[in-house]
Amino acid sequence: MPKITDFEIHDVRFPTSLSGDGTDAMNTECDYSSAYVTLKTDTDLVGHGMTFTIGRGNDIVCTAVREVANRLVGKDTEELFSNMGKTWDYMMSDPQLRWIGPEKGVIHIASGAVNNALWDMYARARQKPLWKLIVDFTPEEFVNSVAFRYISDAITKEEALEMLKQKEATKKEREELVREIGYPAYVTSAGWLGYSDEKVARLTKEAVAAGFNHFKMKVGANQANDLRRGKIIRSIIDDPQHLPPGLKPRDPNGPDLKGKNAGPTGAVLMIDANQVWDVPQAIEYVKGLEEIKPWFIEEPTAPDDILGHASIRKALKPHGIGVATGEHAHNRMVFKQLLQAEAIDVCQIDSCRLAGVSEVLSVLLMAAKFGVPVCPHAGGVGLCEYVIHLSLIDYIAVSGTMERNVLEFVDHLHEHFVTPCSINSKGRYNVPTNANEGYSIEMHKSSIAEYEWPSGSYWVSAKAGKP
Ligand SMILES: C[C@H](O)[C@@H](O)CC(=O)C(=O)O
Ligand SMILES: [Mg+2]
């Protein structure tokens, strides 16, 4: 039985701030970064994981990752795998580290990196990609993998078991379908705030030609600019001449687009403010963008303000605009309350702001129970690689539907991963199929050597003035 013997941590930072990639109204200068960890055993078995930051502070997260990973050293892997829910509880319950959370902030995202690495190791040990490991679980194995503490007022283990059993008989057909057609996706990387109108227009045309029909644009710095950019995007996505040859405009009243404010070609626009507004300000500002027909406003206000989101949702409903949030929802209890307070139309889990797969599974179950579609956040490095696994689990084993879902795609930095995610010609994510890819987050050693902060070759050259 392999035992965890050691771990390796890398602070990896990519200079995305140079091109304006990843920018929004709140985060104006992002160097997409990874606090990356590899858990090692006394055999060849390893597990890779990471959490995402946007630059400075990544070293602080790495320090926390070290503390969390340390607690797994000496543990028998099969014992950990045999009840990943219990393992998760153990990871969250360090008698001293818990004080610097609990279950939020640096310690929580560090726990996410380590929990993800352990899940990656588990999937590798079973020679399956992570999504397949989990969808092949029996309902009992599934619920044993979930973080249930503090959410039994929203969903009990018994209810979750019942929900999973109901989906059991039809899992195989959903798996076959999604392997064939891919999982629906949307593009954010055409609409970063720091891009010029010309760049936004060019990238939007490219995205339409690549088969995408859902697009997200950053807003919140200046309403007139947002309207102008929104109209540019709408003029492209609503014009059938930009569709790829052979692709017909989609029916905006079709079941998958109904209620999404689809334009005449069936294209959908979403907007994201990254928390810049107070509640009344959010309502007024977004009403002013009604003309560009957004499906939802994402992160309109502070991520912890559950009732604020509920007020915004209520005020915007008559205008046909929904509310989405989650990339900064720091634990399952925040999602629980967002759902209980009917504050969101779309649930945007983040694969490593939540403390890894076990906590994500609890949110998937709650969202399915409350009937809210899960559209994971993926604007960052490595997040697209992670989240296709989570959406497949949601579709095949939990919610059983991908009709209202779209999974975020940003076209940055995939080349640094050994098994990068990919998109098919219809603008949908391909299903990861490699038996050895685990959670698909292994980074090339050469990328780590180049971008490790501050000693990697890129950063040493940049300091010497020759990046
Ligand atoms: C700082 C990140 O790029 C953020 O803007 C991503 C985001 O909000 C999203 O992808 O959504
Ligand atoms: Mg966002």
Side-chain angles (χ1 to χ4, degrees):
M1 298 278 198
K3 269 193 179 4
I4 296 178
T5 50
D6 198 5
F7 53 84
E8 205 176 291
I9 294 167
H10 296 280
D11 175 350
V12 186
R13 305 187 192 186
F14 298 97
T16 42
S17 56
L18 296 178
S19 46
D21 299 344
T23 45
D24 58 59
M26 182 65 87
N27 308 296
T28 50
E29 191 194 303
C30 322
D31 283 331
Y32 274 2
S33 303
S34 162
Y36 184 79
V37 58
T38 302
L39 298 173
K40 299 177 177 180
T41 63
D42 48 9
T43 70
D44 288 346
L45 183 64
V46 294
H48 305 282
M50 57 153 272
T51 193
F52 166 66
T53 78
I54 59 169
R56 284 188 295 281
N58 206 49
D59 46 342
I60 301 172
V61 181
C62 287
T63 302
V65 169
R66 185 177 311 285
E67 292 295 330
V68 177
N70 230 342
R71 278 170 57 75
L72 296 181
V73 172
K75 298 284 179 204
D76 182 305
T77 53
E78 287 303 322
E79 213 176 303
L80 295 171
F81 300 158
S82 69
N83 189 325
M84 286 295 272
K86 194 168 153 212
T87 297
W88 192 85
D89 286 343
Y90 166 76
M91 288 180 64
M92 296 306 121
S93 321
D94 178 277
Q96 297 189 351
L97 288 177
R98 190 177 185 280
W99 193 261
I100 58 170
E103 301 193 30
K104 59 175 84 72
V106 170
I107 196 69
H108 206 58
I109 62 175
S111 301
V114 181
N115 188 254
N116 286 340
L118 195 61
W119 275 102
D120 178 76
M121 180 186 276
Y122 187 3
R124 286 166 188 270
R126 299 295 184 267
Q127 292 277 291
K128 290 179 179 183
L130 177 96
W131 68 268
K132 180 68 175 149
L133 170 79
I134 294 180
V135 305
D136 285 349
F137 280 171
T138 62
E140 288 77 10
E141 287 169 329
F142 192 115
V143 292
N144 278 340
S145 306
V146 174
F148 271 112
R149 193 174 199 182
Y150 303 139
I151 60 167
S152 61
D153 51 331
I155 191 166
T156 62
K157 210 169 183 172
E158 293 67 38
E159 273 179 293
L161 195 60
E162 210 34 57
M163 283 167 56
L164 293 166
K165 280 183 181 166
Q166 278 171 20
K167 293 285 176 302
E168 195 61 9
T170 45
K171 275 195 319 195
K172 195 162 174 289
E173 56 200 61
R174 283 191 293 279
E175 181 177 331
E176 276 167 17
L177 179 68
V178 71
R179 279 181 188 270
E180 189 195 324
I181 66 172
Y183 191 90
Y186 77 86
V187 171
T188 301
S189 45
W192 297 123
L193 205 72
Y195 287 178
S196 65
D197 288 358
E198 291 67 35
K199 190 165 177 178
V200 169
R202 175 174 57 80
L203 293 176
T204 304
K205 281 180 197 158
E206 284 173 17
V208 176
F212 289 100
N213 75 335
H214 284 66
F215 308 83
K216 193 164 82 186
M217 168 189 129
K218 295 293 180 175
V219 297
N222 175 302
Q223 200 187 42
N225 287 348
D226 294 343
L227 257 187
R228 192 190 64 250
R229 284 155 59 95
K231 286 182 190 169
I232 293 173
I233 296 178
R234 272 263 165 236
S235 72
I236 297 165
I237 66 180
D238 289 346
D239 183 346
Q241 71 152 336
H242 296 296
L243 291 172
L247 200 75
K248 291 199 178 68
R250 299 177 63 194
D251 175 6
N253 292 313
D256 56 337
L257 296 177
K258 244 184 176 161
K260 283 188 176 179
N261 272 346
T265 61
V268 176
L269 179 63
M270 296 97 92
I271 55 175
D272 185 358
N274 292 85
Q275 313 162 21
V276 286
W277 302 308
D278 277 8
V279 171
Q281 213 184 353
I283 295 167
E284 285 318 302
Y285 196 110
V286 176
K287 277 190 204 164
L289 298 179
E290 197 175 339
E291 198 182 334
I292 57 171
K293 291 204 294 178
W295 171 28
F296 61 65
I297 173 67
E298 174 175 324
E299 287 205 299
T301 192
D304 302 354
D305 187 355
I306 289 130
L307 298 183
H309 280 85
S311 301
I312 295 168
R313 180 168 185 249
K314 203 167 159 201
L316 292 179
K317 213 177 177 80
H319 300 266
I321 302 171
V323 168
T325 197
E327 69 182 72
H328 266 79
H330 48 247
N331 59 39
R332 65 205 173 286
M333 290 74 83
V334 175
F335 280 107
K336 177 185 77 174
Q337 292 190 20
L338 285 165
L339 293 165
Q340 287 172 326
E342 299 185 4
I344 48 172
D345 294 276
V346 170
C347 171
Q348 297 178 307
I349 49 163
D350 183 290
S351 50
C352 45
R353 182 165 301 280
L354 291 171
V357 175
S358 290
E359 192 174 28
V360 166
L361 296 181
S362 68
V363 180
L364 296 185
L365 286 164
M366 286 192 287
K369 182 176 167 192
F370 283 80
V372 173
V374 174
C375 300
H377 166 240
V381 58
L383 303 187
C384 298
E385 276 65 31
Y386 268 153
V387 290
I388 176 58
H389 291 265
L390 304 177
S391 284
L392 290 170
I393 297 164
D394 179 52
Y395 169 57
I396 298 168
V398 183
S399 73
T401 173
M402 54 179 168
E403 220 164 59
R404 291 182 300 156
N405 309 67
V406 269
L407 175 49
E408 183 169 20
F409 177 71
V410 296
D411 201 4
H412 307 299
L413 306 169
H414 302 295
E415 66 279 14
H416 299 293
F417 294 89
V418 174
T419 49
C421 66
S422 62
I423 298 286
N424 68 20
S425 60
K426 300 264 167 42
R428 299 167 82 101
Y429 271 87
N430 287 312
V431 171
T433 51
N434 188 325
N436 297 312
E437 71 183 280
Y439 202 0
S440 308
I441 207 67
E442 180 177 3
M443 221 183 260
H444 286 297
K445 287 192 169 50
S446 54
S447 297
I448 296 176
E450 193 172 353
Y451 291 102
E452 178 130 32
W453 172 267
S455 56
S457 55
Y458 173 85
W459 292 110
V460 169
S461 299
K463 216 168 167 193
K466 42 180 173 99

